[in-house]
Structures are given as C-alpha cells and as structure tokens.
Amino acid sequence: MLQKFFRPATYVLERLSYSRKLILIALVIVVPLATLTYQLVTALNTDIAATQSEIAGAAYLRPTIALVQHLQQHRGASATFLKGDASFREVMLQKQAAIAADIEAIDAMDAVHGERFGVGASWAELKDTWASLQSDVETLTASESLARHTALIRQVLDYRMSIADASGLTLDPDVDSYYLVVAAVVNYPEVTEAIGQARAIGSGALASGTVQMAERVRLESLSLLAASNAATADNGLERALDANATLHDRLLADVSATRDTSLAFQDMLRNQILDIETPTVDAKTYFDTATIVIDRHFALIDTLSTALDELLQARVDRLQSDLLMDLATALLPALVLAYLFVGFYQSVIGSLTAVLSTARKISEVDLPALAAEMGLLAQGDLTRALTIRTEKVKIESREQLL
C-alpha cells in the first residue's frame, strides 16, 4: 500500500539526475514560502502607503483650518463694522492680510497634493469666491455679508472633508487616531463655526443697540448646535483617550479646559443676552469673549492634529519595522536552506564520485594476475608473490612516466 502511494513520486524522481531532484525538492519548499512572503510584504506596503497618504492629508489640512479661523473672524468683524462700529474696519483689514497668508500656504500644499487628492478645482473656486467677497464686503449689508461669509466657510469645511476623505483620514483603522480625526476635522470645526456665527450675529446686534427676536432665535439655535457638536467630539475623544493611555494623560486637561470655556460662553450668551430684554454686554466684550472661546477650540484642534501626526508617524515606523523583521524572518531560513541544499548536493555528488572511482578501479584490475598472486599467497610463497607485485608496480610506474 505504501509503495503504491509513493510510486508516482518514485517514478518521477528515478528519471531525474541528482541535481534536478534537489532542484525539484527546493522548489516545492521555496515557492510557497516566497508566495506567503510576497503577500505579507504587499499587505504591509499597502498599510504603509495608506498611512503615508493620511499623513499627507493631515499636513494639507493644517493651513485650511487657519483659513477657517480667519474667515470666521473676518465675518464677525464685518458684521460689527456694517452694523455701525467703524473701529472694526481695522480688524477686517488685519484678517484679510491673514487670509492672504493662508491662501499662499494652501497654494503650496495644493501644488504638491492637489492633483493626488482631486481638490485642485475646488480650491481654485474657493479663492475666486473669497476674492469676490473681499472686494464687495464694505458695500454689503450686514445680512448679506453674513450670508456670503457663512456660505464660503461652509465651502471650506466641505473642502476639508474632501481632503480627509481622499487621503483616507476618515477611514483610519485605529480607535485612537480615528476619533482624533473626527474631532479635529469634523466636530470641533463645526463647534467653531456655530460659535463664529453666534459671534457675528450677536456682536452685530449689540453694535446696532437692539437684539431682534429673529436674532435671539438664531443665537439660541447656534448655541444648541455648538453644544451638540462639542458633546459628540467629547464622546469620541473619551473613546480615543480610553484606548490610548498616553493620549489620556496628554490631552485630558486641554479637552476639559476647552469644554469649561465653551460652557462659560454659553452661560454668558444666555444670561446677558437671551434671557433678558436688554443685553448687559457690549459688542466688543461679546466679540472678544466669543473669540477667546473659538481660539481655544482652534488651539485644541492644533493639539489634536499634532497628536494625530505623531500617531500616524509611529504607525509608519512600526509597519516599516515589521516589514524588515518579516523579510529577515523569511530570508534567513531561505538562505540557511539554500546553504544546506548546496552542502547536501556536494556531499551526495562527492560520495557518488568516490563510488564511481572505486568501481572504475575494480573494472581495471587484471583478474588472472590477481588470481595467480592469491594462489601463491595461499601456498605460502609470500616472497614470490611480493616479487611479482613489485615488478608490476615498476612496469606501471614506467608507463606513467612515458
């Protein structure tokens, strides 16, 4: 039974030379090992490339959040200026200069990554929209300025989401980095936008001397929207901090301080504007307080972005280390196997060569003479046998010399 089972293998191997037998056995071992190694290396390289794309996306997003911040500040200053407070014109001009610097920084990023992420056309459209708004802003009504600023900021936020989607940030596979992305790219920017609109509407209303019912309703709505987005961000960050003790120790204080600042602003909005008939806060104080809250959120976004960059880079370093280790683990046994196969081949060939040499010598022996010598030895005539052998050696030596 066992012979029948191995008969096909025996049939094949009997028809191969020893070198080909060894090559066949080596292929049976090496090909599966090489296939598995290739698949593992390919998977690791794919993960490395995906993480490097996320790093590029995070770098692209950096100057865009500054643009959001400065557009929001420009919107608030414009609303207050157009409502009658001329002192805010200087603030507008300062923010326009900051926006110009932001655009230059984003242009540099777009030159490198715009085509890769497919957002070049969107960025060109955003720049055109801003140029038009900048030229018109001082001729607009306060409501027109607010609407156009808000629409532009929404475009920028959507543009940021397109970058996050195209770079793979929104598909990040790890709990800690995923919730950092959600907080820094989605939730906290939405918080700043809600408070930013409340800053523009509230400061404009206070500058005019009257907070209309429609403005009160809108401020109430924006306050609730900001609180909702902040709660969503905080809940996500709790998961991130629970998954990463290092992040917990590093970020908890900043997250808590930002939450407290936001709650203090909402209390001021309610107690000094919404819940009383005559507001007890002036436009500049309200504007500055809202700005502090918004800036606190932007500072937190920057902290989260830095932490995200570090997590992504650490992942790349870890994956590259795993790649090198896996390659070494696969190549070292392969090299040892090759070394042993060569040694085995040389050993077998050496043994076969010795056997063939012995067989050749046996075939060259003069059997009748050997028989005569053996007969003499059997008769005890050792002297004559040695004489015959000596003479034969001399003859063979002379033949070799000739």
Side-chain angles (χ1 to χ4, degrees):
M1 183 68 179
L2 195 60
Q3 291 180 343
K4 288 183 179 180
F5 178 77
F6 287 104
R7 186 173 297 166
T10 304
Y11 177 82
V12 172
L13 292 173
E14 284 178 346
R15 284 157 177 77
L16 298 176
S17 64
Y18 272 97
S19 60
R20 291 180 178 177
K21 287 184 174 83
L22 293 176
I23 290 173
L24 177 61
I25 294 171
L27 288 175
V28 170
I29 297 173
V30 170
V31 169
L33 179 62
T35 301
L36 291 174
T37 302
Y38 173 78
Q39 291 176 340
L40 180 60
V41 169
T42 300
L44 287 172
N45 279 328
T46 299
D47 290 342
I48 291 171
T51 306
Q52 288 174 334
S53 177
E54 288 188 59
I55 291 173
Y60 197 153
L61 288 174
R62 285 279 192 170
T64 65
I65 196 63
L67 177 62
V68 172
Q69 181 178 16
H70 294 141
L71 283 173
Q72 289 174 349
Q73 292 171 347
H74 188 268
R75 174 180 56 193
S78 301
T80 310
F81 168 75
L82 294 172
K83 283 282 189 171
D85 192 335
S87 66
F88 275 85
R89 186 176 187 279
E90 183 61 29
V91 179
M92 288 171 51
L93 296 177
Q94 291 173 359
K95 299 311 171 184
Q96 288 173 13
I99 290 169
D102 296 334
I103 290 174
E104 184 176 350
I106 298 173
D107 279 338
M109 282 293 177
D110 187 67
V112 178
H113 302 299
E115 183 175 354
R116 175 184 182 181
F117 296 145
V119 294
S122 298
W123 174 234
E125 182 181 349
L126 284 173
K127 288 193 292 184
D128 291 342
T129 303
W130 162 245
S132 175
L133 176 57
Q134 183 181 10
S135 65
D136 295 344
V137 65
E138 295 190 29
T139 65
L140 300 174
T141 65
S143 60
E144 290 172 341
S145 173
L146 178 64
R148 288 179 61 173
H149 275 90
T150 301
L152 175 57
I153 293 168
R154 176 52 53 191
Q155 282 184 271
V156 177
L157 292 173
D158 291 342
Y159 169 66
R160 283 171 47 80
M161 281 302 302
S162 296
I163 295 170
D165 289 339
S167 64
L169 281 167
T170 50
L171 298 175
D172 188 272
D174 295 339
V175 171
D176 49 3
S177 50
Y178 171 77
Y179 282 109
L180 288 184
V181 170
V182 172
V185 177
V186 183
N187 296 137
Y188 281 138
E190 290 293 346
V191 172
T192 68
E193 173 57 5
I195 298 177
Q197 290 187 42
R199 175 178 57 187
I201 294 171
S203 61
L206 292 171
S208 68
T210 305
V211 181
Q212 303 293 333
M213 181 55 67
E215 293 169 330
R216 290 176 181 272
V217 171
R218 183 58 179 158
L219 288 172
E220 176 74 25
S221 175
L222 290 169
S223 177
L224 294 174
L225 180 60
S228 175
N229 280 306
T232 302
D234 291 345
N235 290 336
L237 284 178
E238 285 181 8
R239 295 182 175 89
L241 301 186
D242 288 342
N244 189 320
T246 302
L247 283 181
H248 184 277
D249 296 339
R250 176 179 175 182
L251 299 179
L252 182 60
D254 285 341
V255 173
S256 299
T258 302
R259 182 190 302 121
D260 293 342
T261 304
S262 181
L263 292 174
F265 171 74
Q266 291 178 30
D267 288 341
M268 185 199 75
L269 176 61
R270 180 166 301 281
N271 295 331
Q272 295 187 261
I273 297 177
L274 297 180
D275 289 348
I276 57 178
E277 183 175 351
T278 302
T280 58
V281 60
D282 61 84
K284 187 176 187 311
T285 301
Y286 175 83
F287 184 94
D288 291 343
T289 303
T291 298
I292 291 171
V293 177
I294 295 171
D295 288 349
R296 182 75 194 189
H297 280 85
F298 279 115
L300 180 58
I301 290 171
D302 184 69
T303 300
L304 296 178
S305 298
T306 300
L308 175 63
D309 291 341
E310 293 173 358
L311 286 177
L312 294 176
Q313 188 57 55
R315 186 192 304 166
V316 169
D317 294 341
R318 183 177 67 252
L319 290 171
Q320 289 177 337
S321 177
D322 291 345
L323 177 60
L324 292 176
M325 182 63 68
D326 292 340
L327 285 174
T329 303
L331 289 177
L332 183 59
L335 292 174
V336 172
L337 182 64
Y339 177 79
L340 293 176
F341 260 93
V342 171
F344 178 69
Y345 174 78
Q346 291 179 345
S347 174
V348 170
I349 295 302
S351 298
L352 290 176
T353 301
V355 170
L356 291 174
S357 176
T358 302
R360 188 178 298 109
K361 289 179 180 180
I362 292 174
S363 67
E364 293 173 353
V365 171
D366 187 349
L367 293 179
L370 181 60
E373 294 176 17
M374 294 298 292
L376 291 173
L377 290 172
Q379 295 172 11
D381 193 350
L382 179 61
T383 301
R384 187 177 178 187
L386 289 173
T387 301
I388 292 172
R389 171 54 55 187
T390 301
E391 290 298 325
K392 186 172 181 180
V393 169
K394 290 180 179 179
I395 292 170
E396 290 176 351
S397 298
R398 283 197 297 270
E399 289 175 352
Q400 290 176 356
L401 291 172
L402 293 175

